[in-house]
Amino acid sequence: MTDDLILHYLQSRGGAQPPIDLVGSVVDAVTDAPQQRASRFAPLIPVAAALGAAAAVVAVAILLQQPPEVGPTPSQSASMTSSAPASPPPSDRPEAIGDVLLEPGDIVEMPAIDGSGEWGVIRLERGDEVVPTDPGWSTYEEGSVIIEIHVRYTAERSTGEPFGDFDWGLRLQDGVPDVVGPDILPATSNPDRVVATSLGNQTSMTEGSAMAGWIALEVPIVDESPAVLLTYQGGERPSGASQAPTWEVLVRERDRNAPPTAGGDLLQPGDAAILPAVGPDGPFGTITLDRGHDVGGYPLVLSPSSTSHFFVEIFATYELNDVPGGAQWGDLDWRMESEGGTLGVELVDAFPPVRGRVGLGQWPGATVPQTHYSGWMIFAVPRETANTNLQLVYQPAGIADATRIPVRSPGEAPAPVAAEWPRPDPVYVAQNGLPITVLESSEADTLFVDADTCTNPDGGYTVTYPDSWYTNTALDNVPACSWFSPTYFDLNESGDLPEEIAIEIRVFEGAVGFIWADLYSEQITLDDFTARRFETGKTKDPETPTDEFQYDYLVALDVDSEGRKLWAFTGTDHGGEYELNKAVFDRIMASLQWTESSP
Amino acid sequence: MLVERYAAETYRLAAAIVGEADARDVTQESFVVAWQQLPRLRAPDALAGWLRRICVNRSRNWLRSAGRRGRPASLDADLGLAERLPDARRDFRGAVEARALLEPAFERLSPDQRAILALHYSMGYSIAEAADALGIRVGTAKSRLNAGLVVLRQAIGQEDSPPASEIAS
């Protein structure tokens, strides 16, 4: 092959034909998207007029027996009683609408959104933080803290779309790893609180009416105490589920050694510094930097190797009060140097290899409606420079003066952490008589010394499988020779997959879309049909850090992408032993022959 | 209208960087961002380049956050892409084979390398235009191009890789 092939390949990537409905779908997305406002905090737009007078509420003090392990200490704060639906907000403080919900009584107002745009106003008021006194009550093994928020919807026009407690979610700003998932609890599920009226939800609301109630946000206690944001997801989003705009408001600040200061250093974990975000047109906001840890290595980061490098973590939070024109900004504005100049330090693409460390990324300007951007910058530092002073340097394009912040004093680097990812490459071997290579396995070879065959008349294939294994007879909705198991299994009347089944083969008609093969992927040919075998895993997913794997074959039996296909797979959630299943599976697929009437 | 005029090119650019599976989403996001930022665009005659830059950045950020979804491997795309290779080749098996080798290598490239290869080779922009879209210097663009090509050459087993300038499109 020559470079021509590379050029042809790259050119072909630019020849994608837009879907015929592309323009329409983009127009729909744009139409649904609110255009940015001049307001500083577009997502949390204060409404000029206050909505009704604040009413005094009965406060019942409760004694909290157990302090939280992280976050603000929950004082013996007044807990608020429930407010009936459509009742005035609970605070008796003077109206003070702000941008955050950090202290009890803090108020934020924001637009309520449905598929047609703004339909009303949401007023949020911060309640207390509570530690469950019953340790067994928490969703999380580590324990949790509950943050209470009073929510009031007021309709400025009628809406016919559901709204309520399901609009709300939590986000831990740093992307802390191994979190089950921040949860929203109905207030009444908290046995430690007097609050009784949960927010609930409704399917419609008429102009001028209101609905109010409490939500209780359960925040897991984690090693590091990140900032916590309440997120709002009302209404349809412009581009579907992914990357959808989220309205967020801060309900707890990150734990720090001290409040961030201008001119501060970042020499110790928990140190914080603040500096102006600048672009060619001048300042456009502030950047808060939080020092993470020095890390010896990450299990999923192979390069740079932890034997040659260690890693310095910095968490950056941009708060925008203006949009930086067309300039790019983000992690490209940062580097790490010694007093003597660069040291070969490089910025690691933090996500996905580093679990829980979503990267800061780069932006062409603000992505409305957010005015808040944050993410990790992880710098790989050569180990031989551990005894050097390190400085973080901020110098956006077009800015002559660099800002330098001390981030590390000379000292021993943390010990290397061996990378565990990816798993060793599979070893495929060619075997006489088999049209494709198969995973090396003497155990599988032995199993096939005594083999049997079966035929799926509907699918139109015959395969060979170990005689000691079992396959299915025809069921109402499952053709014969579709399931394979190393142990005997009973067929149930419902046709559900018995748990003993190790391998499944399905023949179907239709497009397969895209398959995410993050472990292994190989294009092969099976009896002149284009096929792909691939392995997927969830280990790379920071939100589901489990070791679940699936190994698949996908065969196109028709040149039409909508045409007939064979899909077969085994997985760690299937019966048998996964690695052996894979090797047996290869040999079964290698034996596959099409019957006369197929495909 | 803005969308009608630029949607196809934006889609192709997104597809070249992130792949067809995600190109529609990235295109939609790019236009939503553009729409929302439009009042702040100070030089309307710079619209095309501005939109291109938004698309490139949305694509790169998409790739950065795409780890949770893994990398795409699509049988449909294999077939579809092979059909789009230049007619003169008409070598389906060769094309599939090349794609099978090059696709995983391309997916291993950094978002920045993917973007510069897509802008220059897939979309045909000059290196200067591509550098402008990425907000980097021309020298940096050339460096990234070369690094990306080295990876692709290694994928197809070219041991004596020529310098990047020899395969300029």
Side-chain angles (χ1 to χ4, degrees), chain A residues 1-19 21-23 25-27 29-30 33-39 238-240 242-244 281 322-323 325-326 328 331-332 349 351-352 358 360-369 397 511-518 521 523 525 528-532 540-543 554-556 558-559 561 565, chain B residues 1 3-4 7-8 11-12 15-22 24-25 27-29 31-33 35-40 42 50 53-54 57-58 60-62 64-79 81 83-86 89 92-93 96-103 106 111-112 114 117 121-123 133-135 149 152-153 156 158 162 167-169:
Chain A
M1 290 188 232
T2 69
D3 274 344
D4 286 346
L5 212 45
I6 295 176
L7 287 181
H8 286 136
Y9 166 74
L10 292 172
Q11 287 166 358
S12 71
R13 289 188 67 90
Q17 290 303 311
D21 63 340
L22 178 69
V23 170
S25 65
V26 171
V27 169
V30 170
Q35 197 164 34
Q36 189 180 27
R37 300 160 184 275
S39 160
S239 59
S242 64
Q243 303 283 313
D281 300 333
D322 197 358
V323 177
Q328 281 187 299
D331 60 14
L332 76 173
D349 194 6
F351 185 86
V358 177
L360 177 61
Q362 302 164 9
W363 306 88
T367 303
V368 185
V512 295
F514 280 74
I515 293 164
W516 303 100
D518 54 5
S521 182
Q523 186 100 8
T525 300
D528 282 341
F529 293 107
T530 301
R532 181 176 288 271
K540 267 190 168 180
D541 187 339
E543 294 179 355
L554 187 61
V555 188
D558 192 322
V559 293
S561 64
K565 295 178 181 63
Chain B
M1 183 184 174
V3 175
E4 290 171 339
Y11 178 88
R12 278 193 288 272
I17 300 173
V18 304
E20 283 192 68
D22 297 322
R24 180 198 289 264
D25 280 342
T27 303
Q28 286 187 354
E29 288 187 0
F31 276 96
V32 168
V33 170
W35 159 246
Q36 291 169 325
Q37 297 284 326
L38 201 54
R40 295 177 181 271
R42 296 169 187 170
W50 178 70
R53 194 154 55 235
I54 289 174
N57 280 281
R58 295 310 304 169
R60 289 192 298 182
N61 282 299
W62 183 275
R64 285 195 168 89
S65 63
R68 69 187 62 196
R69 301 187 300 271
R71 294 198 307 270
S74 166
L75 196 64
D76 290 348
D78 289 341
L79 300 171
L81 188 58
E83 289 164 358
R84 286 202 303 275
L85 286 170
R89 300 191 62 78
F92 178 81
R93 287 190 178 279
V96 171
E97 183 182 357
R99 180 184 168 85
L101 291 169
L102 290 169
E103 183 79 356
F106 190 83
D112 288 339
R114 288 172 70 150
L117 287 171
Y121 290 117
S122 304
M123 302 302 293
L134 290 165
L149 289 170
L152 296 184
R153 288 193 187 108
I156 60 175
Q158 283 184 257
I167 69 162
S169 56

